[in-house]
Amino acid sequence: MASSTQDIGIDEESTTSESESGLDSTTAGALSYLFGFVSGLLFYLIEREDRFVRWHAAQSMAFTGVLVVAYIALSFLGTAVSMATVSGSSGLFLAGSLFGLILGLVWLVVSLGSFVAWIYLMIKAYQGKVARLPIAASIADRLA
């Protein structure tokens, strides 16, 4: 999951320098994850030269976007199943309730997993390393 900073064309010295925001690169990279899309966009727009910070900011925006899409899909699916099973027979209602319970557990796993990933990404960025998430990293490679 984590790889060296060499994957995005960054050497070790550039991650310890001061960025345009007045912070060192590792701190700015970690802070780009703090408020998700908002802080990612802020650091993406502020940092013009520091590829380390720009990449982490881009991954923060992509990660938040993927999570929003996942939450919308889960909400839509849960609503559709609830609407379909409310007016049905008792067997259909039971199946819908069971599906709703499973969907709630999936929502919980996604929520806890995204929280753990958020903490992990901030720690790795502060250490000057790059943690590549499957979908978000490919989007960040194109943006940074």
Side-chain angles (χ1 to χ4, degrees), residues 5-16:
T5 57
Q6 306 303 325
D7 289 345
I8 58 173
I10 299 170
D11 54 357
E12 289 295 322
E13 295 84 34
S14 69
T15 60
T16 58

Side-chain angles (χ1 to χ4, degrees), residues 81-82 84-86 89-103:
V81 168
S82 294
T85 59
V86 165
S89 66
S90 62
L92 187 60
F93 181 75
L94 182 62
S97 297
L98 183 61
F99 184 76
L101 177 66
I102 292 170
L103 198 59

Side-chain angles (χ1 to χ4, degrees), residues 90-129:
S90 62
L92 187 60
F93 181 75
L94 182 62
S97 297
L98 183 61
F99 184 76
L101 177 66
I102 292 170
L103 198 59
L105 291 175
V106 168
W107 184 290
L108 179 65
V109 167
V110 169
S111 297
L112 289 175
S114 63
F115 178 73
V116 169
W118 175 65
I119 298 294
Y120 176 75
L121 290 169
M122 284 196 293
I123 291 170
K124 285 299 180 183
Y126 189 72
Q127 292 173 345
K129 298 182 179 171

Side-chain angles (χ1 to χ4, degrees), residues 50-64:
D50 194 340
R51 280 187 43 85
F52 181 79
V53 176
R54 281 183 66 83
W55 190 87
H56 280 288
Q59 181 168 265
S60 173
M61 292 185 300
F63 177 58
T64 306

